[in-house]
Amino acid sequence: MKFILSLHPGMQLIAILLAYYAGYLGLQRARSLHFGRQVVFPRKRHALTGAIALLVLLGGFFGGFITASLFLQGHAHDGTDLHKSVALIILPLLVLGLATGYYIYKHPGKQRIFSIIHGLNNLSILILALLQIYSGWHKYQAHVLGG
């Protein structure tokens, strides 16, 4: 049972770390496109790591809801509200991040507006992911570790 309840947080943590790496790579693009710095932008690596991170986070969204409904029934008001509410905010941001990233990848060049939307959107995901780690850790301690 602990293994099953550990899948969601484990996969999400890996995806968040990968998303931060993709964000770091994207920062190189922002430095070049918006701040006039000559830097190498590993476009394919950014696209691959970002897509994997966003897709795993999206899968984790559904996995978290399934896990909570199957195994944590009756615990809806023990801190789940914050975790669930933030997840519902992140969901459309994940879809927007994937859509804008796909558009930018398929139409390379100076996509200033889309790159700004994409970057700010995904920065929002990274910030909200920290809140998810915090609220999720408390849930994990209470329901999996028993403390």
Side-chain angles (χ1 to χ4, degrees):
M1 180 64 97
K2 279 187 178 185
F3 175 74
I4 292 172
L5 292 174
S6 298
L7 284 175
H8 169 72
M11 292 302 295
Q12 292 300 82
L13 184 58
I14 291 168
I16 290 167
L17 292 173
L18 192 59
Y20 268 91
Y21 177 64
Y24 167 76
L25 296 175
L27 184 60
Q28 304 313 308
R29 173 72 171 151
R31 288 178 61 203
S32 174
L33 188 60
H34 302 292
F35 302 112
R37 306 275 187 200
Q38 293 296 326
V39 295
V40 175
F41 172 57
R43 183 174 179 264
K44 287 185 180 182
R45 186 181 312 158
H46 170 73
L48 180 63
T49 57
I52 290 170
L54 292 174
L55 287 169
V56 172
L57 287 170
L58 187 61
F61 170 86
F62 295 107
F65 272 95
I66 291 168
T67 301
S69 65
L70 290 177
F71 299 106
L72 300 177
Q73 295 174 2
H75 299 285
H77 299 290
D78 61 353
T80 309
D81 291 343
L82 175 63
H83 199 70
K84 180 180 176 183
S85 297
V86 173
L88 290 170
I89 294 168
I90 290 175
L91 178 61
L93 298 176
L94 292 172
V95 174
L96 182 62
L98 285 165
T100 55
Y102 180 78
Y103 180 84
I104 293 167
Y105 189 78
K106 287 297 185 179
H107 302 93
K110 294 191 175 188
Q111 300 288 337
R112 286 189 184 271
I113 293 174
F114 273 107
S115 69
I116 290 171
I117 292 169
H118 179 74
L120 291 176
N121 178 77
N122 291 352
L123 178 61
S124 299
I125 293 170
L126 293 175
I127 293 167
L128 291 170
L130 294 176
L131 185 54
Q132 288 299 80
I133 291 171
Y134 174 78
S135 62
W137 173 247
H138 290 288
K139 293 210 58 54
Y140 189 75
Q141 282 182 309
H143 298 292
V144 179
L145 300 178

